Amino acid sequence: MFSYHLNKKAFWVATAATLLLIALVFAGSRKLQNFDAALIAYLFGTVFATFGIVYRYTVWLQRPPTWLYFKRTWQILFSGRFLPYAWLFVRKSVRNIGFQYFIRPRGGKRWWGHFLMATGCMLAFAVTIPLTLGWIHFTMNPATSIHPESTNLYEAHVFGFKLFEFRLGSLIAFLIFNVLSISSWLVIIGVGLFMYRRFTNGGLIATQSFGGDWLPLVLLAAISVTGLGLTYDYVFLKGITYEFMAVTHAVTVIIFLVWIPFGKFFHIIQRPAQIGVYLYQAEGRRKGMAKCLHTGKEYTPQQHVDDLKELTQELGIDFNIDGQRSHLDYSPEGKRSLIAQAHLKARQESGRYFG
């Protein structure tokens, strides 16, 4: 029988985040004055996704190891020691979030596919989420009522405030009006690389599953193709198939949004937390390294060892050896040596040692 335990803390945090988002929609769109009613379905999907993402993220943070890294990261950020790590923070963010370089050691084609998909998704999110929430909108320059020749001048507004203006036909206008098409092509190419890999790699064929491996790729491809279909209909078909294209695209996007908290896409939300691990490691090295009691060699930051001792005690795991020493005070090399010595001692005591 399937059972589910509601995490009350996560529920209330997710509820508060959702209500805050709704309030920001109301405020950012100037009391819905700048909200596009055609995006109402996307808004409901975004609100639901927000609740699910915050709920699951809060549950994830309640895991003792995750909470430890999370707590230490914020301690570094607000302790006045963050400035020396500012460059590390920027560099790791650009490399691992912007360029997805953490995947590069696993293969060039795999990195290209990951980079293209991630870049396309981030571009699309950066545009569609503010549009859906009514935080940005575009209007024709008011001067057109006085100077009709200015009809090609548009203004971009953020939270109701004019940010900049641009002319139709300019490079900025081309990028603004086609950024979603560009992101769709990036995603399609990235998805194609991954699908080819999953069709041809024997190890993946033997272990992959539809829900865990193929469904994310199919969803991303469907969103991108139907999005391009809207552009194709507008440019070449003069809106003949707009209703079909719009409904199909909305359905695929909403399925994607609803599935984020429950499927593989949740790692998109988790990945930025990896930057905190780099800060934690750097701060630990600054404080000093722990030396293995057996080999006498440095093997990890002392802060890491101390945190692990505290964490294992909290979890009820006893790594103490004799009240003064702990298995955590030994490096992997030292532990292997201790195990070998224990085996040797056992063989000697049993009389099966012939050395």
Side-chain angles (χ1 to χ4, degrees):
M1 178 68 68
F2 174 79
S3 62
Y4 179 76
H5 175 67
L6 177 67
N7 188 305
K8 293 183 179 180
K9 181 177 181 179
F11 174 81
W12 289 116
V13 171
T15 300
T18 305
L19 293 176
L20 176 61
L21 177 66
I22 294 173
L24 288 174
V25 170
F26 191 74
S29 62
R30 298 295 180 93
K31 298 181 180 180
L32 303 182
Q33 176 180 328
N34 301 323
F35 178 76
D36 188 351
L39 302 177
I40 187 67
Y42 297 98
L43 176 62
F44 280 119
T46 303
V47 170
F48 181 89
T50 299
F51 180 89
I53 289 170
V54 175
Y55 180 91
R56 184 174 175 185
Y57 199 86
T58 306
V59 172
W60 179 60
L61 285 180
Q62 291 178 45
R63 297 171 55 190
T66 308
W67 177 248
L68 176 63
Y69 279 121
F70 186 80
K71 179 176 64 176
R72 290 284 185 257
T73 299
W74 286 103
Q75 287 175 348
I76 294 172
L77 292 177
F78 290 101
S79 65
R81 299 193 304 272
F82 174 68
L83 191 58
Y85 305 124
W87 172 241
L88 174 66
F89 178 83
V90 172
R91 181 164 56 88
K92 291 297 185 180
S93 297
V94 171
R95 284 170 59 88
N96 292 345
I97 306 301
F99 288 95
Q100 303 288 302
Y101 210 74
F102 67 92
I103 208 79
R104 182 66 180 82
R106 305 180 193 178
K109 290 183 179 179
R110 189 173 182 181
W111 173 75
W112 271 111
H114 212 277
F115 170 70
L116 291 172
M117 282 199 305
T119 303
C121 288
M122 285 190 289
L123 280 175
F125 277 132
V127 174
T128 56
I129 290 180
L131 279 173
T132 300
L133 302 179
W135 294 348
I136 63 174
H137 71 284
F138 302 93
T139 60
M140 189 175 294
N141 191 296
T144 55
S145 59
I146 303 175
H147 305 286
E149 65 276 7
S150 302
T151 53
N152 64 341
L153 194 62
Y154 272 66
E155 295 180 348
H157 298 262
V158 177
F159 279 81
F161 299 98
K162 177 182 175 181
L163 187 63
F164 63 91
E165 59 183 27
F166 57 93
R167 291 188 177 276
L168 295 180
S170 65
L171 177 60
I172 295 179
F174 174 81
L175 293 176
I176 289 176
F177 294 137
N178 292 280
V179 63
L180 291 180
S181 296
I182 294 171
S183 63
S184 293
W185 280 114
L186 293 177
V187 171
I188 288 172
I189 296 172
V191 167
L193 289 172
F194 270 106
M195 284 187 170
Y196 175 79
R197 182 170 174 268
R198 294 198 171 279
F199 271 123
T200 58
N201 188 297
L204 293 176
I205 293 174
T207 59
Q208 64 191 357
S209 65
F210 177 77
D213 300 298
W214 277 100
L215 184 57
L217 298 177
V218 172
L219 267 179
L220 288 176
I223 292 170
S224 301
V225 171
T226 54
L228 288 175
L230 285 170
T231 302
Y232 181 84
D233 173 77
Y234 173 78
V235 175
F236 299 104
L237 302 181
K238 299 181 180 180
I240 296 176
T241 63
Y242 174 79
E243 184 175 351
F244 170 78
M245 291 290 185
V247 171
T248 306
H249 183 66
V251 169
T252 56
V253 170
I254 292 171
I255 291 175
F256 170 80
L257 291 172
V258 170
W259 196 52
I260 286 178
F262 309 104
K264 192 173 184 178
F265 288 128
F266 187 69
H267 79 275
I268 298 173
I269 312 300
Q270 292 174 307
R271 174 54 58 179
Q274 181 66 31
I275 307 301
V277 177
Y278 292 121
L279 297 178
Y280 174 81
Q281 293 172 343
E283 174 70 1
R285 289 191 294 268
R286 185 192 69 82
K287 289 183 175 180
M289 301 295 289
K291 291 185 178 180
C292 176
L293 295 181
H294 181 75
T295 65
K297 299 178 181 178
E298 296 181 347
Y299 65 102
T300 194
Q302 183 63 48
Q303 177 181 257
H304 189 207
V305 175
D306 296 338
D307 285 340
L308 280 176
K309 289 180 180 179
E310 179 182 341
L311 183 63
T312 52
Q313 289 180 358
E314 179 184 343
L315 295 175
I317 303 173
D318 186 10
F319 281 121
N320 290 321
I321 298 175
D322 54 13
Q324 296 181 343
R325 296 177 301 161
S326 167
H327 285 289
L328 299 174
D329 293 319
Y330 294 87
S331 66
E333 180 184 356
K335 291 174 183 176
R336 289 193 295 269
S337 180
L338 289 177
I339 292 174
Q341 291 179 5
H343 286 173
L344 176 60
K345 182 179 179 181
R347 289 173 65 88
Q348 289 175 330
E349 293 176 350
S350 65
R352 290 182 294 171
Y353 175 67
F354 303 99

